[in-house]
Amino acid sequence: MTAYLPPLVIDVRVRESGARGFRIWLPFVLLWPLIFIIVGFTLLVTALVDLALLASGARYHHYTLLVLGTIRLLAEIRGTHVNAVSDNSRVKVDIY
Amino acid sequence: MSEDRKRILGMLAEGKITADEADLLLDSLDSPADAGEPATEPSPSADWPTGPSASGTPKFMYVKVTGKDTVDVKVPLALLRAGLKLTSLIPPQAMDQISESMGEHGMSIDLNNLKPEDIEEVIASLREMEVNVQSADGDHVRVFCA
């Protein structure tokens, strides 16, 4: 089940020579309740659509799996780290 | 209060530095890893592996660019696995459009042929993959999994 949990925090740091850098710490975890409501509603709708498609004999009836796969994709982004350093700037993005 | 902090505030009081500069210096003290000019900072990814793992299942894909600029990217392979699995769930009509569009852009890969059992094989074979590109202007790009 933990594999389906979206990122907790996204940390973005930008620094430039001669200018004050900034850091954005996005507590994505605060959006989880909203995401769960939206995902729950979407899964309900797709499950009904899939059942209707299955009953009608359609070959493709995997919309629920498609939504779950998309959530899984979002969840697996955790652990991504990007660090770019140039002569006069530095950008660092960490997704936890 | 530390000596460094006192010295910065002293320089501010004497008018040697501006309030913004003092703020930046104090920030640097708070986060030692971020101190100094960006160009002279050691890479925070220094503890990352420097090459493909000799054994075991790789967990991350690393992209390292060195040269004039430095770029380090660490992507979980689980993301790649989830992405590949998702392609097998895309509706056929949408998949045909994707394949057609990819073909128009020079990537004639039919994603319909990608089966779930192939995905694990692709991930497993990534362990032995290493891409090394050396450009004429000195940039070096390495892609590997570890």
Side-chain angles (χ1 to χ4, degrees), chain B residues 14-54:
Chain B
E14 291 165 15
K16 288 181 181 171
I17 56 172
T18 65
D20 281 344
E21 287 167 337
D23 189 32
L24 188 61
L25 288 169
L26 289 169
D27 271 356
S28 301
L29 286 181
D30 290 338
S31 53
D34 292 340
E37 291 298 314
T40 59
E41 286 174 15
S43 168
S45 52
D47 58 332
W48 291 4
T50 53
S53 58

Side-chain angles (χ1 to χ4, degrees), chain A residues 17 20 60 81 83 85 90, chain B residues 23 37 41 70 72 89:
Chain A
S17 297
R20 190 165 178 215
Y60 184 85
H81 300 278
N83 180 46
V85 182
R90 173 180 162 192
Chain B
D23 189 32
E37 291 298 314
E41 286 174 15
T70 303
D72 294 308
L89 294 170

Side-chain angles (χ1 to χ4, degrees), chain A residues 45-87:
Chain A
V45 172
T46 52
L48 291 173
V49 170
D50 282 347
L51 280 174
L53 287 171
L54 190 63
S56 68
R59 277 184 60 204
Y60 184 85
H61 47 81
H62 306 305
Y63 286 104
T64 307
L65 290 176
L66 184 66
V67 173
L68 285 171
T70 308
I71 296 162
R72 180 85 186 252
L73 191 69
L74 179 69
E76 297 294 5
I77 206 169
R78 282 183 302 169
T80 300
H81 300 278
V82 178
N83 180 46
V85 182
S86 71
D87 284 343

Side-chain angles (χ1 to χ4, degrees), chain B residues 109-128:
Chain B
I109 302 166
D110 189 358
L111 293 171
N112 286 311
N113 292 334
L114 194 65
K115 302 283 179 287
E117 56 268 25
D118 299 333
I119 294 169
E120 289 307 319
E121 203 174 328
V122 168
I123 300 285
S125 58
L126 280 174
R127 191 179 62 195
E128 293 157 16

